[in-house]
């Protein structure tokens, strides 16, 4: 589960190019360390056979894990990042509905 540190203490944004085909992550050392700890915690839960996921939001979307200020021009700010952990490299494939994707 997200540690819920306050983004006033660090910089962490996810941004896409205008087409949405490229994602850029911007962070200062504290923001990147926060996200690294979060990823490692999700990985540990997945390694134990769990199916963890977590959400990260900007303040405008009701959270405080992600910063709200764009770091590059001509990009779009991502307000909600959802991270899934899967116990195997098969990922969500075994859990998808026919023709669908894991939710």
């Amino acid at each position: 589960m997200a540690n819920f540190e306050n983004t006033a203490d660090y910089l962490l944004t996810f941004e896409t190019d205008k087409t949405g085909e490229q994602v850029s992550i911007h962070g200062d050392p504290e923001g990147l360390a926060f996200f690294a700890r979060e990823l490692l915690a999700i990985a540990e839960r997945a390694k134990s056979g769990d199916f963890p996921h977590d959400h990260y939001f900007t303040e405008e979307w009701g959270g405080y894990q992600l910063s709200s200020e764009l770091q590059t021009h001509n990009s779009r700010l991502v307000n909600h990042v959802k991270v899934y952990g899967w116990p195997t490299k098969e990922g969500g494939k075994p859990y998808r509905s026919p023709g669908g994707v894991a939710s």
Side-chain angles (χ1 to χ4, degrees):
M1 179 86 73
N3 192 6
F4 300 120
E5 295 182 30
N6 189 328
T7 54
D9 298 334
Y10 60 80
L11 168 70
L12 181 63
T13 66
F14 287 72
E15 302 174 21
T16 65
D17 62 5
K18 294 295 183 185
T19 66
E21 294 192 16
Q22 177 179 317
V23 175
S24 298
I25 300 171
H26 300 267
D28 67 357
E30 291 80 12
L32 294 172
F34 161 73
F35 195 58
R37 287 189 304 272
E38 293 293 305
L39 291 175
L40 288 171
I42 290 170
E44 284 302 312
R45 288 181 55 206
K47 194 184 298 183
S48 71
D50 198 2
F51 301 90
H53 77 278
D54 222 329
H55 302 260
Y56 304 88
F57 296 99
T58 59
E59 185 176 354
E60 291 78 6
W61 278 48
Y64 42 86
Q65 304 87 5
L66 299 178
S67 307
S68 298
E69 188 173 327
L70 279 174
Q71 300 302 303
T72 57
H73 67 285
N74 293 328
S75 63
R76 297 170 49 188
L77 187 69
V78 176
N79 289 294
H80 178 197
V81 173
K82 194 171 185 180
V83 177
Y84 291 92
W86 301 107
T88 70
K89 69 179 185 176
E90 293 298 308
K93 290 178 194 171
Y95 313 100
R96 294 182 198 157
S97 58
V101 295
S103 59

